[in-house]
Structures are given as structure tokens and as C-alpha cells.
């Protein structure tokens, strides 16, 4: 099923895919890790207790804003399922935590570059407030009291006039080279300051004006960024955005409470000419349509990320917090608790939905705290994935009854699953495989494959012949749920159409995947048209009120 099939001039021989994986040897050495699915919202028991450190999505893609084609954009989203009306405190980052974006540019599954974000929350130091924030004078002339206000703002706010804001969130950004290198603070070249500000969340129209008011306010928090030794104007933005992930979340986790195959002859046609009873595309199927997230976005020249590698990079995000947090029995704004001890990783995300639908429940917290270099411990989850078999158990009898067939199994039968190893753990030779092959879970992006404009992108990425999309990195408009469903059910066992040429990948055969060409979908359409076409790419957040 083709949706955005424009001409994709690539200059890369996709035929190089064939024989790309030396999976037999890799597996025998026990190096394989977890694989893929869509996003990461409350994906593990432990991290669900720490929503401010829960990474919901991670993106790494070649920038497609006009004039920025020599840049890579990296976006780490945190704090899942934000209700826009979630006041009065809304969604601040954890001031005790460190939020990281890691880059591996040689393929050893160890970070070569890390961008680290650390936050500070403060009340405004207004005159006579003793840094206690905004206050009002209450009472008559014989009994006046100055009383602190309970809200994060007491009037309208714009970038030019933030005097009514009663909360200030700032952050420092540093860069570290190597796994244990020294961190160097990054600065704004316009004023040499080594700190940046985060805009208030989108409280609503009365606070920020109509729809364009918040956009104008938030865009002033896009800062230039000076990276020592890096030529080119980098950028950084941290702030609330509309959750870019689209997913039929509730029904998926209710034992896939819908028929996950396209019900129309083509998505959105409304003709019912697809699989009988199959789900059809509708925004009503997107359970996150009214949710926001907090985005940490940076745009960096490609040349500053690739090092001495082959032009492909691996990337992932993590969050760390001190091992010990002692609650203050006399809590104050400045000191609700005391934290100490070594900072420990509690959240990790590279390729989407790995921890939710691939890693077994008993190992989810272990995966959150593991580094890519140690992913060999999760070998069975990718070579023998359970999701495909679960879908077979749930739907095989119904499919056979509906179609009058006698399909023995819907799940692919090629074991170990070398197609999944290639797509999500090693990358494809000649496309996004790094110089050294260390199977591990991360996004892999070839920075030398040109980006294409938003209106030419296929939301199905590589399996639709669009080599600039997932799993070659991940763009905000890539419909990773549909891609993942199709790949897990054997799409890579069939030829891929690239510029009108059918390319055999050589990873498995059609006989291994009985339904590998079925248009699996969750019915929640996602595409680049839902996003912005310039940094930070993600759409403005949903307002708390209109």
C-alpha cells in the first residue's frame, strides 16, 4: 500500500542490502539485543514511578529544513501523557537529574559524544520578595499582609513581558567526548552565557493569546549554540510540544482489541475494500491526540558528529538520577528533598517501543538501566520475539475463518530472526551500518543519505523505498507503529521497491512469512504533514484552555 510514493533519488545501491548480515556469527557470540516497536510511554515498572525521567520518544534524522541539510536533528522527549490542562504546576523537569543524548560514531556501542542537560527551577527574585516569588498585598490599611500567590503566573505572558510569570526553569547544556571524558559547558555565542531558559508550558489562550501567541513566545527560546571545535551554527530548544507519536494505545494493550490490518483498499479511501473487518485510518484512533510532551532538541552539523567513522552514527537518550533521595520532612520549594550518591541510569530509549512490546516484564527495569554495549543479555528477545507469536495466537483462527484459508501460522518462521537483527541491531550494509558492527539497541542514521522535503516523505520509511526514514534514523512523521508491525510480521522477507526496482534483501524468504505483505496498521495515521518543517520540527503543544 503506497501512500507517499514520490521519486526518491538516492544514489545508494539498495542491492547492497543482500547478504548484509553476518548474523549467524554474531548470534553465536551472544551479542544480540532487544528489537523494536513504536514509542515509550510508561514502559517499565520502575520508570513509571518517575515520570519526569521517562523518555517517551527519541528522534535522529537528517534535517530537512531548507538550508539546513548539512545538519542532524536529535530530539529526546520526556514526561509522558501530559494533559494540557494539568495545572497549576504543569510539567517541570527534575532538577536532580541529568538528561543525555548519546552518539556512537564508530560502532562499538559506546558513546563517543554525549550532550547532557541539567535543569534548575526557581521562583522569580522580584523586588522585596526575598526570592519567594510573586506576592500580592492583601488586607486593609490597618492589617496588610504580603502573601505569595499559588499559581505559576498571575497575568498574560509574552517573551517581551514575563513579569507575570511566577516560575523560572533554566538549564545548562554540556558536551562530553568519550564514555568518561570531561564535560565542557556549551554557550550561547550571542551573549556567552552558559545557561538557557525553557518556556512555560502552554497554560492557555488567556495567558498567551490566541494560537499564534504561544508560538511566537516559544520560538524565542530557540537558542544558537556554540560547540567548541565545531564549525556551523548549532541550535537548541527545550520546551513543551504536542506529542508527535500517534498510536491506538488503549486498544493495543487490551490484547490488540481491533483487527490490525488495513480495512480500505488504500489508507483513507473509505471504501472498505481491504481486509474484511480491518481497522481504517482515523485520527479518532490516536489516543495521544490531546497529549503533550517535553522536548529536548538540538541541531548539530553532521561533521561534528561523525568523527572518524563512515558517516553513520548510532544514537540514544538516557536519564540519570542520584542513587539516594531523602524526603525533607519540612519541605520547601528550594529543598523538597536531599539527593546524593552516584548518578544512576533509570531511563533509556533508542529505537521506539522496544521496552514495551519486546523486552519481557522481568527484564524491563534491567533494560532501562543497561548500556548498549551490554545488550547481549537480551539476546532471546530479538532472535525469538514473542510479539509475532502473540499476534498469531490472537488472530490466526479468525483470519483463517474470515478468508477460508488454512494458514499454519501468521508468525514468521525464520529463526533466528536475522531480518530483525539487521533492521534494529546492526543496521543495513551500505545504508546505516556503522564502521564496526556491535549488535546493540540504538537508532542508526546514515548522515550521508540526503533528507527529503516533508511533503515527499513516506510515513513507512525504508519499507516503502524512502531510505531517509525509519529505521534509517527516525523522523517525527515516520509511522513507526505500522512499520514495526509489518517488520515484526515479516515484511523484510519480501522484496523492497526502491526507485521502481524490486530488491531482494536476502535476510529471509517469502515462505518464512505467510502474511509478510499484509498492510498491518493500528489505524492511527501519522505523517510529516502533522509536524513543522523547521527546527524544532514538533508541533506547538495543545493549550490548556482556549
Amino acid at each position: 500500500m503506497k501512500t507517499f510514493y514520490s521519486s526518491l533519488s538516492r544514489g545508494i545501491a539498495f542491492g547492497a542490502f543482500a547478504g548484509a548480515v553476518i548474523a549467524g556469527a554474531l548470534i553465536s557470540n551472544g551479542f544480540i539485543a532487544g528489537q523494536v516497536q513504536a514509542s515509550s510511554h510508561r514502559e517499565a515498572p520502575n520508570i513509571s514511578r518517575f515520570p519526569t525521567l521517562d523518555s517517551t520518544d527519541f528522534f535522529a534524522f537528517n534535517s530537512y529544513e531548507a538550508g539546513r541539510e548539512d545538519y542532524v536533528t536529535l530530539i529526546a522527549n520526556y514526561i509522558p501523557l501530559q494533559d494540557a490542562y494539568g495545572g497549576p504546576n504543569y510539567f517541570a523537569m527534575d532538577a536532580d537529574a541529568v538528561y543525555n543524548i548519546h552518539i556512537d560514531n564508530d560502532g562499538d556501542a559506546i558513546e563517543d559524544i554525549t550532550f547532557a542537560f541539567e535543569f534548575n527551577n526557581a521562583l522569580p527574585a522580584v523586588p522585596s520578595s526575598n526570592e519567594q516569588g510573586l506576592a500580592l498585598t492583601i488586607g486593609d490599611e490597618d492589617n496588610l499582609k504580603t502573601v505569595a500567590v499559588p499559581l505559576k503566573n498571575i497575568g498574560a505572558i509574552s517573551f517581551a513581558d514575563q513579569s507575570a510569570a511566577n516560575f523560572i526553569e533554566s538549564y545548562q547544556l554540556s558536551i562530553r567526548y568519550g564514555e568518561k571524558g570531561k564535560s565542557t559547558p556549551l554557550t550561547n555565542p550571542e551573549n556567552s552565557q552558559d545557561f538557557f531558559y525553557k518556556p512555560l508550558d502552554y497554560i492557555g489562550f488567556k495567558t498567551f493569546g490566541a494560537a499564534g501567541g504561544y508560538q511566537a513566545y516559544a520560538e524565542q527560546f530557540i537558542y544558537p549554540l556554540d560547540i567548541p571545535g565545531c564549525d556551523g551554527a548549532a541550535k537548541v530548544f527545550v520546551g513543551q510540544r504536542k506529542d508527535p507519536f500517534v498510536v491506538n494505545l488503549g486498544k493495543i494493550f487490551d490484547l490488540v482489541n481491533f483487527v490490525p490490518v488495513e480495512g480500505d483498499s488504500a489508507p483513507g479511501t473509505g471504501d472498505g475494500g481491504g481486509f474484511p473487518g480491518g481497522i481504517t485510518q482515523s485520527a479518532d484512533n490516536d489516543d495521544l491526540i490531546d497529549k503533550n510532551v517535553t522536548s529536548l532538541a538540538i541541531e548539530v552539523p553532521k561533521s561534528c558528529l561523525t568523527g572518524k567513522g563512515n558517516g553513520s552514527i548510532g544514537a540514544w537518550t538516557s536519564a540519570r538520577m542520584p542513587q539516594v533521595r531523602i524526603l525533607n520532612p519540612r519541605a520547601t520549594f528550594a529543598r523538597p528533598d536531599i539527593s546524593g550518591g552516584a548518578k544512576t541510569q533509570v531511563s533509556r530509549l533508542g529505537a521506539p517501543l522496544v521496552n514495551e512490546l519486546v523486552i519481557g516484564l522481568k527484564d524491563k527495569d534491567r533494560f532501562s538501566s543497561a548500556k548498549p554495549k551490554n545488550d547481549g543479555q537480551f539476546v532471546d528477545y530479538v532472535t525469538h520475539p514473542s510479539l509475532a507469536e502473540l499476534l498469531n495466537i490472537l488472530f490466526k483462527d479468525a483470519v483463517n475463518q474470515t478468508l477460508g484459508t488454512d494458514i499454519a501460522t501468521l508468525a514468521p518462521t525464520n529463526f533466528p530472526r536475522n531480518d530483525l537483527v539487521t533492521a534494529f541491531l546492526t543496521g543495513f550494509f551500505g545504508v546505516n551500518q556503522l564502521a564496526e558492527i556491535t549488535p546493540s539497541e540504538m537508532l542508526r542514521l546514515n548522515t550521508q543519505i540526503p533528507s527529503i522535503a516533508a511533503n515527499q516523505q513516506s510515513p513507512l520509511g525504508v519499507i516503502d523505498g524512502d531510505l531517509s526514514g525509519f529505521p534509517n534514523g527516525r523522523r517525527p512523521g515516520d509511522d513507526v507503529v505500522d512499520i514495526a508491525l509489518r517488520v515484526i510480521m515479516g515484511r523484510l522477507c519480501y522484496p523492497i521497491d526502491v526507485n521502481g526496482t524490486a530488491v531482494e534483501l536476502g535476510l529471509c524468504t517469502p515462505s518464512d512469512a505467510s502474511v509478510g505483505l499484509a498492510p498491518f496498521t493500528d489505524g492511527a495515521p501519522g505523517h510529516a504533514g502533522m509536524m513543522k518543517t523547521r527546527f524544532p520540527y514538533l508541533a506547538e503543544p495543545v493549550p490548556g484552555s482556549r
Side-chain angles (χ1 to χ4, degrees):
M1 289 202 148
K2 299 183 184 261
T3 43
F4 289 92
Y5 283 90
S6 51
S7 173
L8 305 174
S9 320
R10 280 292 166 269
I12 289 184
F14 205 75
F17 275 141
V21 174
I22 47 176
L26 296 172
I27 293 168
S28 67
N29 289 326
F31 285 147
I32 310 302
Q35 47 69 324
V36 60
Q37 300 299 326
S39 179
S40 176
H41 296 73
R42 296 173 53 80
E43 76 278 10
N46 189 44
I47 196 58
S48 65
R49 301 189 301 152
F50 303 99
T52 56
L53 291 99
D54 190 350
S55 50
T56 70
D57 272 304
F58 182 63
F59 302 90
F61 56 96
N62 293 313
S63 299
Y64 50 90
E65 177 182 349
R68 303 288 287 185
E69 294 85 358
D70 290 332
Y71 289 76
V72 166
T73 296
L74 305 158
I75 305 173
N77 289 344
Y78 282 85
I79 313 181
L81 305 174
Q82 296 180 18
D83 289 318
Y85 50 81
N89 287 294
Y90 300 97
F91 305 96
M93 304 296 279
D94 193 319
D96 289 331
V98 179
Y99 302 84
N100 301 300
I101 293 176
H102 306 281
I103 304 295
D104 169 22
N105 54 32
D106 54 20
D108 60 1
I110 298 173
E111 57 267 35
D112 296 294
I113 302 171
T114 296
F115 296 95
F117 297 77
E118 296 183 75
F119 290 84
N120 181 64
N121 303 328
L123 296 171
V126 296
S128 305
S129 75
N130 195 26
E131 297 190 4
Q132 296 299 308
L134 299 181
L136 297 176
T137 302
I138 311 295
D140 57 32
E141 60 183 16
D142 296 323
N143 188 17
L144 291 177
K145 299 285 186 180
T146 300
V147 182
V149 301
L151 306 178
K152 282 194 170 179
N153 70 300
I154 59 172
I157 294 174
S158 67
F159 186 79
D161 183 3
Q162 300 178 53
S163 59
N166 194 34
F167 183 76
I168 300 171
E169 193 169 6
S170 61
Y171 61 95
Q172 289 185 303
L173 175 57
S174 61
I175 190 170
R176 184 181 73 244
Y177 294 98
E179 187 176 15
K180 297 180 180 179
K182 181 180 178 180
S183 294
T184 300
L186 300 182
T187 60
N188 180 343
E190 294 180 350
N191 54 24
S192 298
Q193 291 181 338
D194 63 354
F195 61 91
F196 308 86
Y197 290 102
K198 172 179 174 285
L200 286 175
D201 292 343
Y202 199 171
I203 297 169
F205 277 22
K206 189 172 183 179
T207 294
F208 292 104
Y214 189 82
Q215 176 179 338
Y217 162 76
E219 286 184 351
Q220 301 306 308
F221 293 85
I222 299 175
Y223 295 100
L225 189 64
D226 185 18
I227 302 176
C230 176
D231 294 330
K235 293 181 181 180
V236 62
F237 170 82
V238 174
Q240 192 180 51
R241 298 283 89 184
K242 164 74 180 69
D243 193 331
F245 187 55
V246 292
V247 61
N248 203 340
L249 191 65
K251 290 185 177 181
I252 281 180
F253 289 113
D254 184 20
L255 299 178
V256 192
N257 191 12
F258 57 92
V259 178
V261 183
E262 179 59 56
D264 288 339
S265 60
T269 60
D271 59 10
F275 188 84
I279 193 167
T280 59
Q281 303 300 310
S282 171
D284 293 339
N285 294 326
D286 178 13
D287 288 337
L288 305 186
I289 197 168
D290 60 350
K291 304 297 183 183
N292 294 326
V293 292
T294 299
S295 296
L296 285 60
I298 55 176
E299 188 179 46
V300 182
K302 296 177 181 181
S303 59
C304 301
L305 298 177
T306 53
K308 297 180 180 179
N310 63 0
S312 290
I313 61 173
W316 68 99
T317 183
S318 71
R320 305 171 70 85
M321 66 181 298
Q323 289 178 312
V324 178
R325 175 170 281 179
I326 301 174
L327 300 181
N328 184 355
R330 298 178 181 272
T332 65
F333 177 92
R335 182 158 292 189
D337 54 50
I338 299 175
S339 296
K343 286 187 168 61
T344 301
Q345 181 177 303
V346 295
S347 177
R348 165 193 172 187
L349 180 60
L353 253 179
V354 171
N355 217 359
E356 278 141 321
L357 293 180
V358 177
I359 303 299
L361 186 59
K362 72 182 183 68
D363 284 329
K364 288 181 180 293
D365 291 329
R366 183 183 297 274
F367 182 84
S368 292
S369 61
K371 291 189 173 184
K373 66 180 182 178
N374 298 320
D375 278 350
Q377 61 191 303
F378 306 112
V379 55
D380 292 344
Y381 293 120
V382 64
T383 59
H384 295 72
S386 60
L387 178 60
E389 185 56 34
L390 287 172
L391 290 173
N392 176 59
I393 293 170
L394 290 169
F395 292 104
K396 185 187 74 171
D397 290 345
V399 167
N400 281 329
Q401 182 177 358
T402 299
L403 299 180
T405 54
D406 189 25
I407 300 173
T409 178
L410 304 182
T413 57
N414 53 304
F415 296 106
R417 289 290 303 273
N418 294 345
D419 52 332
L420 302 183
V421 171
T422 305
F424 304 115
L425 302 179
T426 67
F428 294 95
F429 176 76
V431 178
N432 66 341
Q433 196 173 87
L434 276 67
E436 181 180 341
I437 303 173
T438 307
S440 48
E441 198 290 294
M442 62 179 77
L443 279 179
R444 289 173 172 83
L445 171 69
N446 187 337
T447 66
Q448 298 175 344
I449 293 181
S451 60
I452 58 176
N455 62 1
Q456 294 180 299
Q457 295 176 14
S458 168
L460 295 179
V462 169
I463 66 171
D464 195 22
D466 181 354
L467 302 189
S468 65
F470 183 74
N472 179 28
R474 181 187 175 190
R475 302 167 303 198
D478 290 338
D479 193 342
V480 290
V481 175
D482 287 8
I483 297 171
L485 285 172
R486 297 178 194 199
V487 170
I488 194 71
M489 297 306 290
R491 179 62 183 87
L492 298 182
C493 296
Y494 291 78
I496 300 294
D497 185 347
V498 181
N499 294 332
T501 300
V503 179
E504 297 275 1
L505 305 186
L507 303 173
C508 46
T509 66
S511 63
D512 294 319
S514 59
V515 293
L517 288 180
F520 287 96
T521 179
D522 68 336
H527 54 82
M530 302 166 65
M531 312 297 165
K532 299 167 71 71
T533 57
R534 52 192 172 87
F535 185 82
Y537 290 98
L538 306 187
E540 278 73 34
V542 178
S545 80
R546 297 180 182 273

